[in-house]
Amino acid sequence: MTSRPSGDQRGDLELTGYSDRLGAKPGETVRFMVSTSEERYAARVVRLIHGDERRPDKGFTEEHVTSDLDGSHPGRLQRCETGSHLSANEVGSAFRLRSATLQCWIAPTTPQHGRRQAVICRWCSAEDQGYGLFIDSDGHLVVEAASASESLVVRSRVRLERNTWYFAAATLDSESGSYGVHVRSLSPWDKEGLVTDAQRFRPDFNPNQLDVPFRVGAAGSCVHEARTIADSFNGKIDSPTVYSRAMTDEEVEVLSRDEGPPVDAGLYAQWRFDERQQSVSVPDGGPNGFHGLLVNMPTRAVTGRRWSGHEGDFRRVPEQYTAIHFHEDDLEDAAWSVDLEWVVPAGQGSGVYALKTEVPGLIDYLPFVVEPAEDGDPHDVLVLMPTMTYVAYANERVGDSMQPNVPSDWPPEYDPLDRYVERHPEFGKSLYDVHVDLSGVTYSSSLRPIPNLRPQYRVRILHAPRHLSGDLYLTDWLEEKGVGFDTTTDLDLHNRGLALLRKYRVLITGGHPEYWTTPMLDALEEWVEGGGRVMYLGGNGFYWVTSVHPERSNVVEVRRGIAGSRPWNSEPGELHHSTTGEPGGLWRYRGRPPNRLLGIGFAAEGADGRSVGYRRTAASYADELSWVFEGVEEDLIGDYGLIMGGAVGDEVDRIDYELGSPHETVVLASSGPLSDYYGVAQEDRIRFRGAREVGEARADMTLLTSASGGAVFSVGSISWNGSLAHNGYRNGVDRVTWNVLSRFLAPVEAATGADGTRAGDGARRPAGLTADD
């Protein structure tokens, strides 16, 4: 079936959603969360075949999969609540303190923000009652308390400054009616010391009547209400602590000098931000075990008030990493109610699927991959959908704030889905964006609406599909050629590793496999060493060190570091991943550049509306390589296609021996220099002193083979797959891809070692790649 989907959410008409997973195997359940302004919506499961409606012979193509989801369903609007914080839900109604001291250290990043920000509080935003330590709209620390009929505010004279560490405390004594707010700057240039402002109110005023959990970094709803998040804090909070009595000014003075509390302070709760950095759970170091849960994934493994700068690994000096960075625009889980569920039937073919939802005037798709069953009979080919790249780019907005370097006759064309994301900042951000306080977005999650993760999505500077929509070019071509293949996700490879790869002869990547975890890379390298074969049909792959949250597999983490083609820099001392402890940044700076495995590595990126093709090198005419170009009659291969008119464009890779490209790499073809609208990789500019050397911004097509039978074929361009279908799938790009795949698949008996194991410890070894094999 051919459909013309719409992502243009017009006026008050809304239709969106997400699934609880991007990959599922037969027998597993996929749950769908849907939000619509309409009373009812239609739904059906479809298999996605082709995503580019510009092709007159095919257009946007899908195949209906009959299921019990077919039909009409009741609609409702669901909303996202952004803002990260800690919630100590165990406290609840048991936490009935008549007097208290709330104390921590803070480094606010938006102190004069025009609204209140909660530091530590028990405050019900719906009832506007409770008590807590806040920053007011003008950047002053305040203690607030309110009951149903009375309220008070004590305001500090000190106006807080951005990115400055402060001691902050509130003392509340309802028996005497004394309330105080205490501030001390940790700047070595501070001359004021501890500044205390206090006020007396009537005795026995008790604002602590509602069943509200203690929160750090936000206020919110009572426990029996739907989740709401209010008064979100931007910045770092270090060592939040609650004492069960109001300390004297003298005792607070000692606390402010970081000399510890008095023996009889009455420690009630102390959340240890330096422990379990990889977790969403925060232990309570106090006597009551009021452990906290982190909501919406604030940034962990960040420097605290005591960081000296001598060590950047939080595992080595945990006492210097006692802070968490909270943001008002963090979103890890939209936490919508489930509307529909689909159990993937036994025997359901592996591939790219979606729940298609529809209301009059709008169609939406919630995509997912049906992965191969672990005990099934696999095909010989495995297509790896770069789902971690999809999540990294989820709701990317960086293009809205950066003027693209494109020709005047090739202006950006915004997809309606881009405009929809602009209207819904509550859907969260991508790893390419910065938070409202300008700190980089470190985590990205799939448990939220992601409008740019749709099969019809077109990237503004390409005027063409990319990511999921672009990877459908590849799966469509494989189907057109009658190739049996399985499809899986990055997370599946991350979890199963070599056990997954051993079942296949050939792995084909999507167009932009940029984000790789250590387990993924380890497994692929070992598989290739044992005889596995890779077709890298993309560009800028295997680039960023990536990790998966051990408790939230929907979350990926990236630390940009201070090098590479990046949208933001990591802060000093914050280059290590909280989820694994490993250093982040480029794989290149971990000694594992893509060149070492693929033969090529990232060279340049750009868009000019004039993608080009490849010309063969002299080396490609060797007799033993004739099979690569058999049947190719073009002098210029790929000067056509659906992505800017050619096979070489967007982001491109080239050979570079200095960066680890093996000298055994054969360059089969090259694009030659691209236009000046292509920017050279930032990490290479220091090597070239900022100059564009001839041939530097180009794509190389390469082949690497090993004695074990392992091989990697690389094309070095994201745009490659957009040229496969040109001229009815009869062209040079199609032919080269087919020739390589056929050669990689040609069966031979498995090589057997002296110990009786097969090549690659179970990998199926295909036929030789040269005439001498």
Side-chain angles (χ1 to χ4, degrees):
M1 170 185 176
T2 300
S3 171
R4 293 183 63 82
S6 171
D8 189 5
Q9 313 274 350
R10 297 179 297 277
D12 295 329
L13 188 60
E14 292 275 342
L15 179 64
T16 191
Y18 62 96
S19 62
D20 71 334
R21 58 203 306 168
L22 294 181
K25 298 173 177 61
E28 296 180 340
T29 300
V30 186
R31 296 173 179 84
F32 302 99
M33 284 56 71
V34 179
S35 178
T36 180
S37 56
E38 303 303 282
E39 292 185 359
R40 301 195 69 83
Y41 65 94
R44 57 168 48 187
V45 176
V46 297
R47 188 171 66 87
L48 300 173
I49 298 173
H50 190 268
D52 194 341
E53 63 180 29
R54 295 174 301 163
R55 272 186 60 193
D57 61 325
K58 201 159 199 174
F60 187 97
T61 309
E62 65 190 35
E63 178 182 271
H64 176 218
V65 178
T66 303
S67 75
D68 56 4
L69 302 188
D70 291 353
S72 177
H73 304 274
R76 58 179 168 183
L77 280 172
Q78 305 201 62
R79 65 178 187 175
C80 298
E81 291 282 341
T82 63
S84 57
H85 59 278
L86 176 141
S87 179
N89 289 313
E90 293 83 355
V91 175
S93 59
F95 211 124
R96 291 286 185 250
L97 294 178
R98 298 283 297 176
S99 298
T101 298
L102 315 179
Q103 179 262 316
C104 62
W105 286 264
I106 61 173
T109 50
T110 59
Q112 295 93 45
H113 203 37
R115 64 164 179 80
R116 185 174 70 174
Q117 300 176 64
V119 180
I120 309 176
C121 68
R122 291 197 70 221
W123 192 278
C124 177
S125 55
E127 301 291 338
D128 208 24
Q129 295 180 45
Y131 64 90
L133 184 63
F134 299 86
I135 298 174
D136 71 10
S137 60
D138 293 326
H140 295 265
L141 203 67
V142 298
V143 57
E144 296 193 35
S147 65
S149 58
E150 301 173 285
S151 64
L152 66 88
V153 177
V154 182
R155 187 176 194 242
S156 171
R157 290 163 285 165
V158 177
R159 193 180 196 193
L160 305 177
E161 298 297 332
R162 171 178 163 83
N163 289 328
T164 298
W165 278 107
Y166 296 90
F167 168 85
T171 49
L172 306 92
D173 190 343
S174 61
E175 294 181 1
S176 68
S178 177
Y179 294 81
V181 59
H182 315 265
V183 183
R184 182 179 201 140
S185 171
L186 270 62
S187 168
W189 306 102
D190 175 67
K191 299 176 182 178
E192 296 189 57
L194 181 68
V195 178
T196 295
D197 291 274
Q199 178 180 324
R200 285 200 173 271
F201 200 62
R202 70 167 181 82
D204 297 323
F205 168 58
N206 185 9
N208 190 18
Q209 297 297 318
L210 298 176
D211 192 10
V212 184
F214 234 99
R215 292 186 175 95
V216 176
S221 55
C222 296
V223 296
H224 61 277
E225 298 172 333
R227 185 177 86 170
T228 59
I229 301 170
D231 301 327
S232 294
F233 175 85
N234 292 308
K236 294 179 179 181
I237 299 178
D238 189 326
S239 305
T241 305
V242 178
Y243 299 94
S244 59
R245 69 172 177 85
M247 293 190 187
T248 65
D249 289 351
E250 292 76 15
E251 290 172 331
V252 174
E253 168 71 32
V254 174
L255 266 183
S256 74
R257 296 198 298 266
D258 214 353
E259 296 176 5
V263 175
D264 61 345
L267 178 63
Y268 212 81
Q270 184 177 63
W271 293 285
R272 297 297 304 271
F273 286 0
D274 57 322
E275 296 183 8
R276 302 193 66 191
Q277 297 275 18
Q278 80 286 1
S279 180
V280 296
S281 299
V282 176
D284 173 18
N288 298 306
F290 294 144
H291 307 302
L293 176 69
L294 293 173
V295 177
N296 278 337
M297 208 61 65
T299 306
R300 304 210 63 183
V302 298
T303 56
R305 71 189 191 277
R306 294 172 175 162
W307 188 61
S308 67
H310 296 156
E311 174 60 61
D313 187 344
F314 65 89
R315 297 167 298 179
R316 294 179 178 272
V317 285
E319 71 280 1
Q320 296 182 27
Y321 286 81
T322 49
I324 291 178
H325 195 150
F326 298 92
H327 308 91
E328 67 179 71
D329 48 9
D330 279 330
L331 179 64
E332 182 262 322
D333 185 353
W336 287 2
S337 297
V338 176
D339 290 281
L340 300 173
E341 297 183 356
W342 187 54
V343 179
V344 181
Q348 186 70 46
S350 179
V352 185
Y353 292 76
L355 179 74
K356 179 181 180 181
T357 59
E358 187 170 4
V359 298
L362 281 179
I363 299 174
D364 194 25
Y365 293 83
L366 311 183
F368 61 97
V369 173
V370 172
E371 301 165 341
E374 293 190 28
D375 58 354
D377 185 18
H379 291 97
D380 289 334
V381 176
L382 179 65
V383 175
L384 182 64
M385 304 297 284
T387 49
M388 290 190 190
T389 299
Y390 301 165
V391 175
Y393 280 87
N395 299 336
E396 173 265 316
R397 295 177 174 86
V398 68
D400 300 334
S401 59
M402 297 175 62
Q403 182 64 33
N405 179 31
V406 294
S408 59
D409 61 351
W410 190 256
E413 288 185 354
Y414 284 82
D415 191 289
L417 291 167
D418 286 321
R419 299 306 187 192
Y420 184 53
V421 169
E422 289 176 1
R423 296 198 298 272
H424 290 277
E426 74 274 15
F427 289 171
K429 296 184 174 182
S430 77
L431 296 179
Y432 287 81
D433 298 303
V434 294
H435 291 289
V436 68
D437 66 359
L438 302 183
S439 60
V441 177
T442 298
Y443 310 106
S444 185
S445 168
S446 60
L447 290 183
R448 55 187 171 128
I450 306 176
N452 66 353
L453 181 54
R454 295 296 187 264
Q456 71 271 31
Y457 180 70
R458 294 171 66 178
V459 173
R460 46 191 171 270
I461 64 171
L462 302 181
H463 306 183
R466 199 185 200 227
H467 304 309
L468 172 65
S469 52
D471 289 333
L472 292 176
Y473 288 135
L474 171 62
T475 55
D476 167 70
W477 177 83
L478 289 167
E479 290 200 24
E480 187 71 24
K481 293 298 181 180
V483 177
F485 65 97
D486 291 333
T487 309
T488 198
T489 62
D490 283 343
L491 185 60
D492 191 30
L493 176 58
H494 171 85
N495 289 333
R496 296 171 63 191
L498 196 58
L500 170 67
L501 295 179
R502 282 172 175 163
K503 298 183 176 184
Y504 297 93
R505 291 180 176 173
V506 179
L507 174 76
I508 305 179
T509 74
H512 196 18
E514 185 175 4
Y515 292 83
W516 279 69
T517 68
T518 296
M520 291 169 62
L521 199 54
D522 288 347
L524 188 65
E525 288 182 349
E526 186 174 348
W527 181 67
V528 171
E529 289 172 4
R533 295 179 173 180
V534 176
M535 295 180 67
Y536 168 42
L537 302 185
N540 190 18
F542 303 70
Y543 191 67
W544 288 107
V545 176
T546 309
S547 59
V548 176
H549 198 285
E551 300 168 348
R552 300 285 193 272
S553 61
N554 55 290
V555 173
V556 297
E557 179 181 8
V558 170
R559 303 276 170 143
R560 297 293 183 185
I562 54 175
S565 296
R566 62 202 183 282
W568 47 266
N569 288 329
S570 294
E571 293 298 319
E574 299 178 8
L575 277 66
H576 284 254
H577 287 222
S578 67
T579 49
T580 60
E582 65 188 309
L586 300 186
W587 278 114
R588 169 173 169 174
Y589 296 117
R590 291 271 300 274
R592 303 179 78 171
N595 308 65
R596 194 178 75 176
L597 175 63
L598 307 173
I600 56 177
F602 180 51
E605 59 185 328
D608 57 8
R610 303 172 182 87
S611 290
V612 298
Y614 301 78
R615 292 193 183 278
R616 293 178 61 178
T617 64
S620 74
Y621 289 93
D623 290 343
E624 63 268 21
L625 296 171
S626 61
W627 56 270
V628 176
F629 297 96
E630 182 180 350
V632 177
E633 299 177 354
E634 303 163 359
D635 293 328
L636 187 60
I637 301 170
D639 60 336
Y640 44 76
L642 291 166
I643 303 178
M644 297 188 293
V648 178
D650 191 354
E651 297 185 10
V652 296
D653 302 358
R654 62 176 174 81
I655 197 167
D656 193 323
Y657 300 110
E658 291 185 12
L659 295 180
S661 296
H663 288 275
E664 295 83 0
T665 307
V666 178
V667 179
L668 301 168
S670 180
S671 69
L674 298 175
S675 77
D676 289 342
Y677 291 102
Y678 279 78
V680 173
Q682 293 180 26
E683 59 271 26
D684 282 342
R685 292 176 189 175
I686 191 169
R687 286 202 300 155
F688 300 119
R689 302 301 183 195
R692 284 175 54 96
E693 295 190 351
V694 175
E696 185 180 314
R698 69 174 193 272
D700 289 331
M701 181 194 305
T702 61
L703 178 66
L704 260 173
T705 64
S706 70
S708 68
V712 179
F713 170 75
S714 301
V715 300
S717 169
I718 290 178
S719 297
W720 176 270
N721 291 329
S723 300
L724 288 167
H726 178 72
N727 191 35
Y729 305 92
R730 295 184 298 274
N731 61 78
V733 171
D734 155 76
R735 188 66 185 183
V736 168
T737 309
W738 175 255
N739 289 343
V740 173
L741 178 58
S742 299
R743 189 74 169 199
F744 278 18
L745 282 173
V748 296
E749 294 184 3
T752 303
D755 59 356
T757 59
R758 303 172 73 191
D761 192 21
R764 285 190 274 184
R765 184 180 178 189
L769 300 172
T770 70
D772 297 331
D773 277 348

